[in-house]
Amino acid sequence: MTNAHDAGARPGRALLLLPVQAVLVAALGLLVTRPLAHHWPLSAEDDVNRALADGRAPSATSLTDWLSLVADTQTVIGLTLLCVLGLLLVPRAPRWWEAGFLAVSVAAQSAIFLLVTLVVNRDRPDVPHLDGAPPTSSFPSGHVGASAALYGGLAVLAARHLRGVWRNLVVGLLLLVPLAVAFSRLYRGMHHPSDVVVGLLNGACTLLVVGAALLPDARKGGAEPEPAAPGTRRAVVVRHPHACDDGTAARVRTVLRRQGYAEQRWTDTTPEDPSGGLAPHLTGADADPAGPAEPAGPAEPAGPAEPAGPAEPVEPVEPVDLVVVCGGDGTVRACADLVAGTGIPLAIVPCGTGNLLARNLGLPVEPVAALREALSGRAVGLDVGRIRGDGLAPTRFAVMAGAGFDAAMVRDASPRLKERLGWAAYVLSAARHLRDPRMRLSLRLDGGAPLERRARMVVIGNVGSLQGGLPLLPEARPDSGRLEVVLLDPRGVTGWLAAAGYLASRAPGRSRTSGTRERTAAHGALEYFGATRVDLRFARPQPRELDGDVLPAGTRLTAEVEPGALRVCLPAPTRIGAQAVRGKDGKEVAEHGHRDARTAAR
């Protein structure tokens, strides 16, 4: 991430809190060692130290010896330097502000610790010490403070960049380290309980102060990118009025303005027009300034739009340089349907319930942070799917299309629960459909012979992961030039458990060399295919969905891939899952994508 950051007055004022923190910690130390020393709970601290000393065991002693090594001065300095160098040497995207955050946090914590020990002189516990005691006060614990600053800082950075299960695992393990070090310092007789508690507070408060100063997204209204030179670039912002609140909208305006988008046109979506009258802004056609134009048909996204009302004087508008979508996957899909093939880049501000496309593309979950990082990167050509069927006009999708169980789940999810619980509302809806009957279907891949199957659901995916990083389609990538298909057909409780266990244990994999070879998994509960064109026929009308939007039930779906048709602004270096976005020549896609030209003519 190469986000510019305002290094002016606001971060400077935040760093001025560090001397205040040092004074408060020193004052707390004087209270602990003098007027409060003989009052509970401080009066019971010696008993805690003696109990731990009396209960020492060889195995625990060996473990705490290792924990002391993890947090000693040499280790902390060495690891900090290695991490800072790693952040600065990231190819093509040195993380200057994150490196500064980590280095300043560790250094500031240590400086506060040393200053406090000059004021507070507390003896170490009167028990056998397992470590050599440096000539400093026992208050606060330097080992604990240093580990909180280093490993807590790494946890903050991991939370900013990792997704799904890995994010929770790595952050949790890093946060456990300072707590384990705190216990080891008590066990080894080096500190009183209050020493390690204040050490943890010292490290945590240092992270909060330095993070507020040096990390652009560390606080809700944090510093914006450095203003770019005034320009005349034009952006149209499509906003879902319920998903994107006024505060988020104001911050989006500021980010765009500081990125040089001096002219911004804002338009709200409606139930009748989920793209917010976007089409005229893409073509330079006449647009009604009093309201959005009637949207163009999805089969012709680049065509001119007809005025919604009676003929009135209208003014032509200039085509825009950027489309920004503030909403969920449904809003993004409606806009992507129109933008695909035009060459105009799309920036995603994830404000919806699922935000599956943004998550699969590695964008931050915080809306404005996603926009900042996307605009600091490059526009990359990604695939979209084009789908049609009975009762369904041709349209495009960017995430997944499906029929059966998943569509019924989306259809019956309570709007009120979605507003209160987010994506968890879909889990409750899914429970109601676990016993739905299987459907009979015919599957044809790239015009081949039809395959007759029974399944509870079928999903055609341009990307592969669901909420929490669950890889429903592990091999799906939006730059692969094909679509992935999965049939879910579990038999009974055992089948559902086998399918769930298999998906939970998968990680996004590499693409197969053949897009039509099939494979099964989870004892037949899952069957996978890949193709550039997928034709589905159902024996009976089935519920259908497209990027989380409910479609009328029907008996047919046909999906085709449009390689590189959509230019999406992504952070640099662009990563999707574990794979870099690459062109067909194997090299990373250049700033404007190499697949756009061959799709623009479609």
Side-chain angles (χ1 to χ4, degrees):
M1 180 182 68
T2 55
N3 290 2
H5 186 63
D6 183 0
R10 191 173 292 178
R13 287 201 299 269
L15 290 175
L16 289 176
L17 292 174
L18 291 174
V20 176
Q21 178 182 330
V23 171
L24 293 176
V25 174
L28 185 58
L30 294 175
L31 289 174
V32 166
T33 56
R34 295 179 184 178
L36 301 181
H38 302 292
H39 295 274
W40 193 90
L42 297 177
S43 60
E45 288 191 314
D46 290 339
D47 295 334
V48 173
N49 288 113
R50 282 192 289 269
L52 289 173
D54 293 340
R56 289 171 182 167
S59 58
T61 299
S62 299
L63 175 61
T64 57
D65 183 54
W66 180 81
L67 289 171
S68 291
L69 178 64
V70 164
D72 71 7
T73 303
Q74 292 81 2
T75 302
V76 168
I77 293 176
L79 286 178
T80 302
L81 290 175
L82 286 175
C83 293
V84 168
L85 288 174
L87 290 168
L88 295 179
L89 296 178
V90 173
R92 301 176 61 185
R95 305 179 187 277
W96 295 98
W97 292 105
E98 294 185 351
F101 159 73
L102 192 63
V104 172
S105 295
V106 174
Q109 181 283 142
S110 299
I112 292 173
F113 160 73
L114 291 174
L115 289 173
V116 171
T117 58
L118 296 177
V119 178
V120 180
N121 185 17
R122 189 181 198 185
D123 294 332
R124 297 190 181 273
D126 187 18
V127 296
H129 302 158
L130 298 183
D131 291 329
T136 56
S137 169
S138 177
F139 183 96
S141 172
H143 281 67
V144 173
S147 64
L150 173 58
Y151 301 105
L154 291 175
V156 171
L157 299 184
R160 289 163 61 88
H161 296 291
L162 297 180
R163 298 290 180 268
V165 176
W166 279 110
R167 178 185 184 182
N168 298 333
L169 179 62
V170 173
V171 171
L173 289 175
L174 286 170
L175 292 179
L176 281 176
V177 174
L179 298 176
V181 170
F183 172 78
S184 75
R185 301 306 287 169
L186 293 176
Y187 177 90
R188 301 179 72 81
M190 304 308 298
H191 290 285
H192 305 276
S194 57
D195 301 337
V196 300
V197 170
V198 177
L200 288 170
L201 291 175
N202 184 35
C205 290
T206 303
L207 288 177
L208 288 175
V209 173
V210 178
L214 299 183
L215 292 181
D217 310 321
R219 50 196 195 288
K220 183 73 173 177
E224 304 290 355
E226 188 72 24
T232 57
R233 290 190 292 176
R234 294 174 294 273
V236 60
V237 183
V238 179
R239 175 194 179 197
H240 191 297
H242 301 297
C244 178
D245 58 37
D246 292 339
T248 300
R251 296 169 64 207
V252 168
R253 289 180 189 273
T254 302
V255 171
L256 289 173
R257 184 170 60 252
R258 298 191 177 192
Q259 288 286 340
Y261 292 93
E263 180 182 332
Q264 299 178 30
R265 308 169 193 166
W266 284 69
T267 177
D268 284 353
T269 67
T270 64
E272 296 76 22
D273 184 5
S275 69
L278 175 62
H281 299 280
L282 304 178
T283 62
D286 291 346
D288 183 356
E294 189 74 22
E300 300 180 10
E306 296 293 335
E312 295 181 1
V314 293
E315 298 180 359
V317 296
E318 294 291 331
V320 295
D321 303 296
L322 176 70
V323 174
V324 180
V325 184
C326 303
D329 288 315
T331 306
V332 173
R333 187 209 64 78
C335 294
D337 183 29
L338 300 177
V339 175
T342 66
I344 300 173
L346 179 77
I348 301 171
V349 181
C351 299
T353 302
N355 302 316
L356 287 181
L357 181 59
R359 293 173 187 271
N360 277 272
L361 296 178
L363 290 169
V365 294
E366 201 280 321
V368 179
L371 179 61
R372 288 197 193 104
E373 292 206 14
L375 295 183
S376 73
R378 61 183 185 270
V380 174
L382 301 181
D383 307 339
V384 292
R386 188 173 183 85
I387 196 162
R388 63 182 185 272
D390 53 319
L392 174 64
T395 187
R396 295 182 175 94
F397 67 95
V399 182
M400 298 175 186
F405 171 78
D406 68 318
M409 172 190 70
V410 171
R411 179 194 62 195
D412 295 337
S414 166
R416 181 175 297 180
L417 288 179
K418 284 197 294 183
E419 183 176 347
R420 294 182 179 181
L421 303 178
W423 64 269
Y426 292 119
V427 177
L428 298 178
S429 177
R432 299 165 52 189
H433 292 283
L434 292 177
R435 299 179 63 86
D436 284 359
R438 301 157 70 206
M439 57 184 176
R440 293 172 54 195
L441 61 95
S442 173
L443 171 68
R444 188 189 297 266
L445 305 171
D446 291 333
L451 305 173
E452 303 297 329
R453 295 290 189 273
R454 287 180 177 268
R456 295 189 182 276
M457 81 172 187
V458 55
V459 172
I460 306 169
N462 187 44
V463 296
S465 294
L466 302 178
Q467 291 290 346
L470 187 69
L472 179 63
L473 293 159
E475 298 184 18
R477 280 173 48 193
D479 66 332
S480 64
R482 72 160 187 266
L483 301 170
E484 301 296 331
V485 184
V486 62
L487 300 180
L488 175 67
D489 189 27
R491 308 291 179 86
V493 176
T494 303
W496 282 105
L497 291 177
Y502 177 83
L503 293 176
S505 66
R506 296 299 96 186
R510 297 184 180 274
S511 299
R512 300 190 304 274
T513 56
S514 171
T516 58
R517 287 168 52 190
E518 62 187 78
R519 66 183 178 88
T520 59
H523 307 293
L526 294 163
E527 191 171 9
Y528 292 98
F529 309 88
T532 58
R533 175 187 170 111
V534 180
D535 291 282
L536 293 169
R537 299 292 183 270
F538 306 106
R540 296 180 180 178
Q542 296 295 331
R544 299 175 294 183
E545 62 91 9
L546 197 66
D547 284 3
D549 286 340
V550 178
L551 302 176
T555 59
R556 300 195 307 275
L557 279 179
T558 296
E560 296 180 85
V561 69
E562 294 186 3
L566 182 66
R567 290 180 62 205
V568 179
C569 296
L570 296 179
T574 302
R575 296 276 167 182
I576 298 176
Q579 302 290 335
V581 177
R582 300 185 182 276
K584 62 180 181 179
D585 57 358
K587 297 180 180 179
E588 286 196 19
V589 176
E591 179 173 354
H592 300 298
H594 292 310
R595 302 190 202 262
D596 302 331
R598 70 185 183 193
T599 323
R602 292 195 175 212

